[in-house]
Amino acid sequence: MTTDFYNKVAQKFGNYHTGAKYFSEFPNGEPEKIFKEKLTAISGKKKTALDVGCADGRFTISVAPLFQKITAIDLSQGMLEAAKKLQQEQSINNINFEEQNASQTNYADDSFDVAYSRRGPTPYHEFQRVLKSSGYFVGINIGEKDCQEIKEIFGRGQGFNQWHTSALEKAKQNLLENNFFIIFAQDYFYNEYYQSPEDLDLFLQGVPIFEDYDPENDKKMLKSYVAKFSIKKGIKFPRHRFVIVAQKL
Ligand SMILES: C[S@@+](CC[C@H](N)C(=O)[O-])C[C@H]1O[C@@H](n2cnc3c(N)ncnc32)[C@H](O)[C@@H]1O
């Protein structure tokens, strides 16, 4: 179950970052940068934001100066503890980290100017309810082709075998059905290059690509992936993200 997975990661690494060494190449734009630009464009010192699935809060803290107040929610107590610790260390006082289920929060209708999800859950019906009129949703999420090659070798993984169902189109459809107007929607394909098999192994331990990843049991399959995808730059790892901006009608 996802919450158990994130609690385990928080316990093992102390946060949501493994320290695995890699670099990325972006042939058609850097999705994280574009997501942050879109969020910045609709932010404001008088605006309140809901961060959905904030994990260890590192990103939340990085955008805190853009808003009057951010309410950052997650279901993993381990991640929320890491987030509160980081917030204290950095003396940030305009974020409330709270344990809430994104699908059914206890916030009043029309509470926030902005809701954003950085690879967190996206219950659009709840965003429609808690956003103020004309409020914005900004999201970056995982595309259907994200690391398809390693999932094919392992024969399992997040979104396994859904390579031909567009996650972006699904999100757009869902937003339209929940009375949002789509302002921006774009897929991004790029590559990461891991510097060694140990780095890729470490990375896989800290992300939910395979929630049941086991360095020992999966050793053989990881070895065959490394053999097939090693090039001069490193071990190639193809990624897929999409960025979406929508406004409540
Ligand atoms: C990929 S992580 C998000 C990373 C984070 N947004 C960041 O910027 O680093 C997904 C997070 O969503 C949380 N999550 C999953 N389902 C949730 C739900 N229904 N309500 C609240 N949080 C949830 C998980 O516990 C996890 O911390």
Side-chain angles (χ1 to χ4, degrees):
M1 195 229 169
T2 309
T3 306
D4 291 341
F5 171 80
Y6 285 104
N7 281 335
K8 208 175 77 189
V9 171
Q11 196 176 23
K12 184 161 183 172
F13 297 102
N15 54 37
Y16 190 40
H17 293 83
T18 63
K21 289 192 196 67
Y22 70 95
F23 70 92
S24 311
E25 280 180 350
F26 303 98
N28 69 338
E30 190 175 338
E32 284 289 350
K33 211 172 130 197
I34 289 155
F35 168 69
K36 201 163 175 179
E37 281 169 9
K38 299 287 177 196
L39 185 60
T40 304
I42 50 131
S43 68
K45 285 298 233 180
K46 289 187 177 160
K47 290 188 177 178
T48 55
L50 178 69
D51 181 331
V52 188
C54 60
D56 65 7
R58 199 177 285 203
F59 179 80
T60 325
I61 288 169
S62 80
V63 294
L66 299 176
F67 293 97
Q68 182 188 79
K69 189 181 148 203
I70 302 180
T71 301
I73 62 172
D74 207 286
L75 274 179
S76 160
Q77 287 179 359
M79 286 295 173
L80 286 168
E81 272 167 36
K84 287 176 189 165
K85 190 164 164 255
L86 200 63
Q87 181 186 28
Q88 249 181 359
E89 283 166 9
Q90 304 201 11
S91 309
I92 307 285
N93 51 26
N94 67 334
I95 308 173
N96 281 344
F97 287 104
E98 295 178 356
E99 187 180 336
Q100 290 269 343
N101 184 349
S103 304
Q104 214 173 359
T105 66
N106 63 12
Y107 305 119
D109 295 358
D110 307 327
S111 290
F112 302 98
D113 297 293
V114 173
Y116 69 85
S117 178
R118 183 171 176 256
R119 288 175 280 109
T122 51
Y124 299 116
H125 62 91
E126 186 66 359
F127 302 160
Q128 170 65 222
R129 188 183 73 73
V130 299
L131 277 174
K132 292 179 189 169
S133 170
S134 303
Y136 290 96
F137 167 73
V138 189
I140 179 165
N141 228 316
I142 295 165
E144 68 282 0
K145 293 192 170 58
D146 191 52
C147 34
Q148 177 180 342
E149 296 76 0
I150 197 166
K151 290 174 190 165
E152 281 175 337
I153 287 181
F154 277 52
R156 65 185 207 274
Q158 199 178 38
F160 183 74
N161 234 343
Q162 292 167 28
W163 332 123
H164 302 298
T165 308
S166 165
L168 175 61
E169 287 308 317
K170 240 163 77 179
K172 279 165 70 178
Q173 191 58 37
N174 204 331
L175 278 160
L176 291 173
E177 281 164 11
N178 282 287
N179 290 319
F180 280 90
F181 170 76
I182 313 279
I183 294 174
F184 179 87
Q186 182 74 50
D187 273 310
Y188 296 90
F189 298 92
Y190 61 99
N191 290 313
E192 288 172 350
Y193 296 93
Y194 285 81
Q195 296 308 285
S196 73
E198 291 73 27
D199 284 305
L200 183 54
D201 169 55
L202 189 63
F203 172 72
L204 290 173
Q205 291 180 48
V207 291
I209 294 171
F210 308 106
E211 281 200 19
D212 57 351
Y213 178 73
D214 183 313
E216 213 37 61
N217 292 343
D218 292 320
K219 212 177 195 159
K220 257 194 183 157
M221 285 189 290
L222 186 64
K223 211 172 157 190
S224 54
Y225 182 81
V226 169
K228 198 164 168 196
F229 287 90
S230 285
I231 56 171
K232 236 184 176 171
K233 292 179 193 175
I235 306 158
K236 186 174 168 181
F237 201 69
R239 309 303 315 253
H240 177 191
R241 296 279 183 270
F242 65 86
V243 176
I244 203 157
V245 183
Q247 190 169 23
K248 176 173 168 170
L249 285 175

